[in-house]
Amino acid sequence: MEPLPASFFNRPTVSVARDLLGARLVHEAPTGTRLVGRIVETEAYTEDDPACHASHLSRDPETGEVVGQGRGQDLFAAPGTAYVYLIYGVHWLLNVVTEPEGTAGAVLVRAVEPEEGLQDMRAERGVDRRVDLTNGPGKLAEAFGIDGEFHQTRLTARPLFFADEDSVDDEQVARSSRIGISKGVERSWRWYVAANRFVSPASPSG
DNA sequence: TATATGATTGCCT
DNA sequence: GGCAATCATATAG
């Protein structure tokens, strides 16, 4: 259970999204409990992507400097950096920044299969059924105790990190449009493990 | 400054 | 299936 290095995330975003399937999300919580989940669903967001939080930003052609304001600027951070933000004023969503520093991109972790620390996850979530603990981006963040405190922290070292324990064969990988977006629907940038019951119940918009 | 919307979830009818 | 929660950010005026 060693953290994936920054080099893993210093690649095209869609490749990282695909390859994170089967990897583990690990949180060595302050309580001493280790929380582990096998990643079964991801989405990619890139710099030239209308659905990306960096879409309204631009770069100075001379200096390459980012022009604009807001949270999207944090998508230009070093690969392996956490991008955690609040959606609908209610739920935290965990992303990991991809591509070289200075290029925007991130992978949203949408669902994991709970493997260790299920009792802690149940306490965080307030639900009992294993399948309901982490089958959605807001749910898994809550189960793993992830909130804004983790924004811009390194995910290439403890306590919160990814581990490449096993991979998923191409035959088991399915793709679709991304969930819950209104722009960029034509891109099939959601990856998930086919027939896995821990994938989120949401259906794609297009 | 004011209003609309969103990478979601859970509770309501 | 409908819709409220609740706030950061985008966009309009």
Side-chain angles (χ1 to χ4, degrees), chain A residues 46 100 131 140 163 179:
Chain A
T46 65
V131 72
L140 78 86
I179 306 292

Side-chain angles (χ1 to χ4, degrees), chain A residues 145-168:
Chain A
I146 297 166
D147 60 18
E149 296 285 306
F150 286 90
H151 183 56
Q152 292 189 301
T153 61
R154 282 189 319 151
L155 298 178
T156 50
R158 291 173 170 79
L160 182 63
F161 61 95
F162 296 93
D164 194 15
E165 292 300 302
D166 70 73
S167 59
V168 177

